[in-house]
Amino acid sequence: MGIQDMELLAIGVVVILFMAVLKQFGILEPISSFEDSSDSDLEMSTVRHQPEGLDQLQAQTKFTRKELQSLYRGFKNECPSGLVDEETFKSIYSQFFPQGDASTYAHFLFNAFDLDRNGSIRFEDFVIGLSVLLRGSVTEKLNWAFNLYDINKDGCITKEEMLAIMKSIYDMMGRYTYPCVRDEAPSEHVDKFFQKMDRNRDGVVTIEEFIETCQKDENIMNSMQLFENVI
Amino acid sequence: MAAGVAAWLPFARAAAIGWMPVATTPMPIPPQEKKKTQDGLIILNVSGTKFQTWKTTLERYPDTLLGSTERDFFFHEESNEYFFDRDPDIFRHILNFYRTGKLHYPRQECISAYDEELMFFGIIPEIIGDCCYEEYKDRRRENLDRLQDDEEMDISNEAAPVNLSYREYLWRAFENPHTSTLALVFYYVTGFFIAISVMANVVETVPCGTMPNRSKEVSCGDRYALAFFCLDTACVMIFTFEYLLRLVAAPSRYKFVKSVMSVIDVVAIMPYYIGLVMTDNDQVSGAFVTLRVFRVFRIFKFSRHSAGLRILGYTLKSCASELGFLLFSLTMAIIIFATVMFYAEKGSAHSKFTSIPAAFWYTIVTMTTLGYGDMVPKTIVGKVFGSICSLSGVLVIALPVPVIVSNFSRIYHQSQRAEKRRAQRKTRLARIRAAKIRGTNAYMHFKQNGLLIDSLEEASKKAGQALVGKAASPPFESQHHHLLHCLEKTTNHEFVDEQTFQANCMEISVVNKAGSRSSSLSSSPHNLSSCCSRRHRKKSSFSLPSTNNQELSTIQIRERPLANSRSSLNAKLNETVPLKCNQPYISPSMVSLSAPPVTSSDEDSTTTTAYSQSNIVRVSAL
């Protein structure tokens, strides 16, 4: 007896459904995921970093011994391996800004601290950065800020870079603000910034323009001294 | 914010310098930093185990004991450390909380001990980290259940029957058959009748042989119709009576009527009444016969009698989602396979698979591995799919079943644990009572010696007996006893032991009924002594050495037992007796603190009980 067409079709449909169910249960993908996980587990555990000695750090930064000790204790508590990778950094920083999304700004900050661009902040980077921010001269602080804004580290800040930074700062505010953050607010702010900073109207802000303008602005000068007593 | 991250706050603030150049408005003034104390080490000595940590670590949580100035109360100057007389093992976790910001719950610790420590150190349990939170909550719930069970048991046992209204009493009897014999009897009787009724329903349908004037075999029900009818009537009457009683006794009638058991009760007895109402009506008699099916619901009434059945029912209810999933997947599979089989067998001649619904029967029988064989595929394709069908049936059914089984097992174990707790409750309460008794025993004992001190001056002057031979009790106990004594003096009541109190209560009622017999003593103090005397007359076994005197002096002597020493018996009795009689008496609340008679020595026991009895007598007389 022959099998009619409809039956054939029915059988075909059933077989397809069967395969679909198997795939749903993951029976058809046994091997691919297995190998990756075991390797990556090994990698995570072997990376560790010990900082330089206390004396060298004391020489490199303007912190006292006790301050360095206390800083390291806090650092090591949160990052036992001695290295902060970007994800951890973002998660730590985000905890201070629960209403908004601090991850983009944290990304920029991370790049500003990660001096040797290897994807992780060591304690030395951390402490050197902090030393500049808290114990450095105003010029050093302004240099640091410029370095932060200059995303590609080419020595000048373009409008796009500034817009990215501005957006990330506004992102940290979150949605619930008064008055509401309009979509054009970052770009307006960037325009104002460039108006103030860009002396020769060439569309970019160089380090000299930046420092010169900031030194003339009283508000900025005052605010630079604000966080001296943080540690 | 976790404490560890708090250490990064200075960094976050420093990084805020990045916002300064873009800011258009001046920044707010930072908060005034307090004079930073030097970050020093603190030594925490917890029962000998020394823990050390930075001061700032502790000060991360200023609303706890260690983080605030409250810890100064525990500062020990001599060793320049903070000393806590608490459990060091649990303290380890608490200190870790300060260090890491996460509170963990160790599995091997007792939940109440842990809770106490947390409360002492001012830490709210809600901040337990996610890793340990479920375990903590589970243990806590178990503990609360246990405490609640104990309370319920205590309450249900202590509630004296006379306090409940008749209705409440009835309801309690129904819910808890073990509370009184009558309830137990009723429980068993109803159980018996349920069984009888179900058996009658079953036997009714058995063919019983032919009637003399007919050739067809008839069922027992038709043959002995009258007998079965009587049996049914009896059962239904009992059930109706029980249902009405429950309805009357229920605290919330509406809730009772809505409950499952009451619905089952009603459904079980309805067919009988309906049958009574519509007799001999041919049209509805067919329907009536069908209604008789509902009589089988009587078997569900057994669930009141069997805890296991209730557990099963509860399990099924709690596994509703798994059962639903099972049903759903089965239905899906049935439809798929029935369709496939129908189309596969469509070609074969004389195929039983006439339609897809007809194929449902085959699929169900095959998937549950029953395989009646009334429908079998004949084509090869049909056979192939038939075999796939039976294999998948086994799988589909086998998957949700362990889930249901494990649910059942969990609930069963829970109820077993509850049963065990209930069984142990008696021992537990007995232990608690024994501990209390030991305490008051000691007090009674002490009183015999201690109260001596009151009258010691008199007694020793008269008799010069050396009473100092008794062993000195430890200072804590003696202070405790002194405290209890003060309480007695304050309230003018005294402690006695339970048994004698109970015994005396009954006797006193007899005494009161008999009326006051002693005529010579009419004024109140003497009245009391008359009751006392009656008491003592009854307890002749307690006759003290000097019973040869006249009745009055006998009474007085027996009144004496307070002093409890042979010498004091010889002392002047008159002053002490009225004193005692004048005192008002024991309130029932102290009964729980009572002790059984001290069995150290005969004299002691008799005097104690005599003493206590005299007191009790006075209570009831008043």
Side-chain angles (χ1 to χ4, degrees):
Chain A
M1 53 196 95
I3 304 176
Q4 325 266 10
D5 292 330
M6 284 300 287
E7 283 82 346
L8 204 52
L9 198 60
I11 291 169
V13 167
V14 167
V15 168
I16 290 174
L17 278 177
F18 192 63
M19 303 293 280
V21 164
L22 281 186
K23 199 144 100 160
Q24 182 77 346
F25 284 125
I27 296 179
L28 290 184
E29 351 172 313
I31 304 173
S32 50
S33 48
F34 185 63
E35 289 159 351
D36 293 346
S37 50
S38 50
D39 281 349
S40 52
D41 282 337
L42 278 177
E43 270 183 36
M44 290 295 284
S45 50
T46 52
V47 175
R48 214 175 85 84
H49 175 75
Q50 278 175 328
E52 298 170 13
L54 208 48
D55 298 319
Q56 283 127 311
L57 280 178
Q58 240 188 316
Q60 285 174 348
T61 67
K62 301 205 182 68
F63 289 120
T64 67
R65 215 175 164 83
K66 277 214 183 308
E67 286 171 342
L68 281 173
Q69 281 177 338
S70 142
L71 275 173
Y72 187 68
R73 286 202 298 269
F75 183 85
K76 184 105 174 146
N77 226 356
E78 204 56 27
C79 320
S81 62
L83 289 169
V84 194
D85 64 335
E86 191 164 337
E87 286 312 311
T88 322
F89 187 84
K90 278 188 185 164
S91 75
I92 294 174
Y93 199 72
S94 303
Q95 295 202 32
F96 295 107
F97 305 99
Q99 285 139 322
D101 175 24
S103 46
T104 332
Y105 188 70
H107 168 74
F108 295 134
L109 261 188
F110 186 84
N111 286 336
F113 271 91
D114 186 12
L115 300 170
D116 46 1
R117 295 327 225 34
N118 60 352
S120 57
I121 299 183
R122 302 165 308 153
F123 182 63
E124 292 89 337
D125 303 331
F126 178 73
V127 130
I128 288 170
L130 269 188
S131 163
V132 165
L133 284 174
L134 298 176
R135 303 273 190 264
S137 68
V138 179
T139 323
E140 287 174 347
K141 291 183 190 174
L142 289 172
N143 260 325
W144 188 89
F146 185 85
N147 195 30
L148 172 70
Y149 301 145
D150 186 11
I151 299 178
N152 54 5
K153 313 287 183 248
D154 61 356
C156 45
I157 307 176
T158 62
K159 269 214 170 136
E160 292 76 21
E161 289 175 339
M162 204 55 219
L163 190 59
I165 299 264
M166 201 62 74
K167 274 215 190 111
S168 70
I169 295 180
Y170 275 88
D171 278 344
M172 280 197 284
M173 293 293 295
R175 259 188 344 147
Y176 304 107
T177 57
Y178 177 75
C180 281
V181 173
R182 295 161 301 137
D183 290 336
E184 319 80 46
S187 47
E188 282 176 10
H189 203 143
V190 168
D191 290 334
K192 269 194 275 196
F193 179 79
F194 264 76
Q195 241 181 345
K196 202 163 70 167
M197 299 281 168
D198 192 8
R199 288 302 155 101
N200 52 2
R201 299 273 177 262
D202 57 353
V204 293
V205 177
T206 61
I207 180 87
E208 297 85 14
E209 286 175 334
F210 183 71
I211 293 183
E212 207 191 312
T213 320
C214 286
Q215 280 176 334
K216 295 215 186 78
D217 188 335
E218 224 182 282
N219 273 338
I220 298 180
M221 282 292 121
N222 286 342
S223 52
M224 283 290 162
Q225 322 287 352
L226 216 52
F227 293 109
E228 302 230 299
N229 305 323
V230 161
I231 298 260
Chain B
M1 203 161 47
V5 180
W8 283 61
L9 184 61
F11 159 74
R13 297 179 74 198
I17 287 185
W19 308 336
M20 301 301 141
V22 296
T24 47
T25 49
M27 290 289 131
I29 304 174
Q32 287 302 337
E33 308 281 330
K34 295 193 302 271
K35 180 78 174 66
K36 281 280 179 169
T37 52
Q38 273 297 0
D39 193 11
L41 282 177
I42 283 192
I43 305 178
L44 300 165
N45 187 347
V46 183
S47 305
T49 312
K50 292 213 175 137
F51 296 88
Q52 288 182 316
T53 181
W54 297 106
K55 221 179 263 185
T56 46
T57 311
L58 291 183
E59 277 159 12
R60 282 188 195 142
Y61 296 98
D63 52 353
T64 58
L65 187 151
L66 290 172
S68 62
T69 52
E70 200 180 339
R71 66 169 185 247
D72 294 337
F73 287 102
F74 298 93
F75 189 69
H76 190 233
E77 272 93 14
E78 286 88 356
S79 45
N80 204 30
E81 61 191 11
Y82 293 87
F83 184 78
F84 296 94
D85 210 1
R86 313 288 300 186
D87 188 353
D89 295 326
I90 299 183
F91 186 75
R92 189 169 65 83
H93 299 279
I94 292 177
L95 198 53
N96 270 337
F97 164 65
Y98 285 91
R99 294 183 182 129
T100 61
K102 287 194 273 261
L103 183 62
H104 293 281
Y105 169 62
R107 282 186 168 79
Q108 75 274 13
E109 295 290 347
C110 168
I111 185 80
S112 348
Y114 190 73
D115 268 344
E116 272 175 28
E117 294 295 313
L118 284 186
M119 219 176 315
F120 180 81
F121 286 102
I123 297 174
I124 330 169
E126 269 62 40
I127 50 177
I128 289 190
D130 290 335
C131 41
C132 302
Y133 193 60
E134 283 169 18
E135 171 82 16
Y136 175 76
K137 273 281 183 238
D138 281 345
R139 294 277 290 266
R140 205 151 184 218
R141 210 179 327 126
E142 261 183 54
N143 202 35
L144 279 177
D145 282 346
R146 185 176 59 81
L147 289 176
Q148 244 177 8
D149 269 352
D150 281 351
E151 271 178 31
E152 280 174 13
M153 286 298 155
D154 284 345
I155 287 173
S156 62
N157 274 2
E158 281 172 16
V162 285
N163 293 342
L164 295 175
S165 73
Y166 191 58
R167 179 172 163 184
E168 286 170 3
Y169 178 63
L170 202 58
W171 182 248
R172 245 185 81 217
F174 272 126
E175 291 301 302
N176 227 347
H178 303 279
T179 48
S180 75
T181 351
L182 189 62
L184 207 57
V185 161
F186 191 67
Y187 176 76
Y188 282 125
V189 160
T190 39
F192 176 66
F193 271 98
I194 295 174
I196 290 271
S197 161
V198 169
M199 290 263 303
N201 287 345
V202 165
V203 167
E204 208 168 59
T205 58
V206 170
C208 243
T210 60
M211 297 259 284
N213 49 355
R214 280 190 220 176
S215 55
K216 212 173 61 144
E217 238 186 63
V218 292
S219 64
C220 282
D222 290 335
R223 188 156 171 186
Y224 302 104
L226 193 60
F228 278 104
F229 181 71
C230 292
L231 196 56
D232 205 22
T233 312
C235 293
V236 168
M237 271 178 25
I238 300 245
F239 296 151
T240 318
F241 177 63
E242 183 206 350
Y243 181 70
L244 288 175
L245 266 189
R246 274 184 204 262
L247 193 61
V248 161
S252 155
R253 300 228 169 95
Y254 180 59
K255 211 169 78 156
F256 174 71
V257 167
K258 273 197 314 187
S259 75
V260 173
M261 288 309 301
S262 98
V263 167
I264 289 179
D265 285 339
V266 168
V267 167
I269 58 182
M270 264 308 137
Y272 177 78
Y273 288 110
I274 296 180
L276 277 187
V277 164
M278 45 183 193
T279 49
D280 300 335
N281 191 343
D282 280 334
Q283 276 176 331
V284 289
S285 70
F288 167 62
V289 164
T290 324
L291 267 182
R292 284 173 140 207
V293 158
F294 285 107
R295 290 189 303 176
V296 82
F297 274 84
R298 288 178 194 166
I299 210 171
F300 284 118
K301 288 161 71 76
F302 266 131
S303 72
R304 280 208 185 95
H305 296 246
S306 156
L309 258 186
R310 273 201 302 272
I311 292 177
L312 189 59
Y314 185 66
T315 311
L316 289 177
K317 203 164 61 159
S318 69
C319 298
S321 67
E322 278 87 22
L323 284 175
F325 169 69
L326 174 61
L327 218 53
F328 175 69
S329 57
L330 262 181
T331 314
M332 239 178 43
I334 288 173
I335 295 180
I336 291 178
F337 279 109
T339 314
V340 167
M341 290 306 297
F342 172 69
Y343 282 114
E345 285 287 304
K346 198 146 149 218
S348 75
H350 308 297
S351 155
K352 288 245 178 74
F353 293 79
T354 52
S355 65
I356 294 185
F360 280 170
W361 174 245
Y362 168 75
T363 319
I364 292 177
V365 166
T366 313
M367 282 187 93
T368 53
T369 70
L370 271 178
Y372 286 134
D374 54 349
M375 276 166 90
V376 287
K378 293 199 177 59
T379 61
I380 296 185
V381 181
K383 286 189 178 158
V384 163
F385 279 107
S387 40
I388 296 179
C389 173
S390 75
L391 287 175
S392 63
V394 167
L395 280 177
V396 165
I397 292 183
L399 285 177
V401 166
V403 175
I404 297 175
V405 165
S406 82
N407 252 355
F408 179 80
S409 154
R410 178 178 57 87
I411 294 173
Y412 182 66
H413 281 306
Q414 259 180 7
S415 84
Q416 260 195 337
R417 273 205 300 270
E419 280 300 319
K420 200 155 59 138
R421 257 185 275 132
R422 262 185 282 259
Q424 288 175 344
R425 184 186 48 86
K426 273 202 172 156
T427 347
R428 214 184 13 246
L429 289 180
R431 259 210 322 261
I432 295 172
R433 213 177 308 140
K436 277 198 210 159
I437 282 170
R438 252 176 293 139
T440 50
N441 226 356
Y443 181 53
M444 291 302 178
H445 200 91
F446 181 75
K447 258 210 291 202
Q448 303 162 25
N449 312 333
L451 285 176
L452 281 174
I453 297 184
D454 285 350
S455 53
L456 195 53
E457 295 79 9
E458 310 157 308
S460 57
K461 278 184 219 138
K462 308 283 171 31
Q465 179 166 3
L467 296 160
V468 291
K470 305 268 187 211
S473 46
F476 173 74
E477 273 194 36
S478 56
Q479 287 165 5
H480 186 224
H481 295 323
H482 174 252
L483 183 67
L484 291 173
H485 191 45
C486 291
L487 184 60
E488 281 184 340
K489 286 276 181 269
T490 314
T491 56
N492 280 324
H493 287 46
E494 285 177 15
F495 296 113
V496 288
D497 65 280
E498 188 176 356
Q499 295 167 343
T500 43
F501 178 77
Q502 298 266 8
N504 296 336
C505 266
M506 296 203 294
E507 289 202 12
I508 292 310
S509 54
V510 173
V511 168
N512 285 339
K513 275 191 222 135
S516 70
R517 211 195 68 178
S518 74
S519 48
S520 57
L521 314 167
S522 50
S523 57
S524 49
H526 298 288
N527 227 354
L528 299 170
S529 47
S530 73
C531 300
C532 306
S533 71
R534 184 153 324 256
R535 222 117 227 4
H536 284 287
R537 208 162 293 157
K538 287 206 162 48
K539 300 278 178 186
S540 52
S541 58
F542 291 118
S543 55
L544 298 172
S546 49
T547 47
N548 308 336
N549 307 348
Q550 294 170 9
E551 193 176 60
L552 205 53
S553 48
T554 318
I555 293 170
Q556 288 175 329
I557 288 172
R558 284 187 188 150
E559 291 296 337
R560 195 41 198 160
L562 283 182
N564 260 346
S565 74
R566 290 197 187 87
S567 63
S568 48
L569 286 174
N570 300 332
K572 285 227 169 64
L573 307 172
N574 298 335
E575 48 280 14
T576 45
V577 168
L579 263 178
K580 234 13 208 164
C581 279
N582 277 337
Q583 288 177 6
Y585 304 109
I586 300 168
S587 56
S589 61
M590 292 202 184
V591 173
S592 56
L593 290 176
S594 57
V598 178
T599 50
S600 50
S601 68
D602 279 350
E603 181 208 0
D604 280 350
S605 57
T606 52
T607 46
T608 319
T609 43
Y611 157 79
S612 43
Q613 281 182 21
S614 61
N615 291 332
I616 295 168
V617 170
R618 291 180 205 134
V619 173
S620 18
L622 271 184

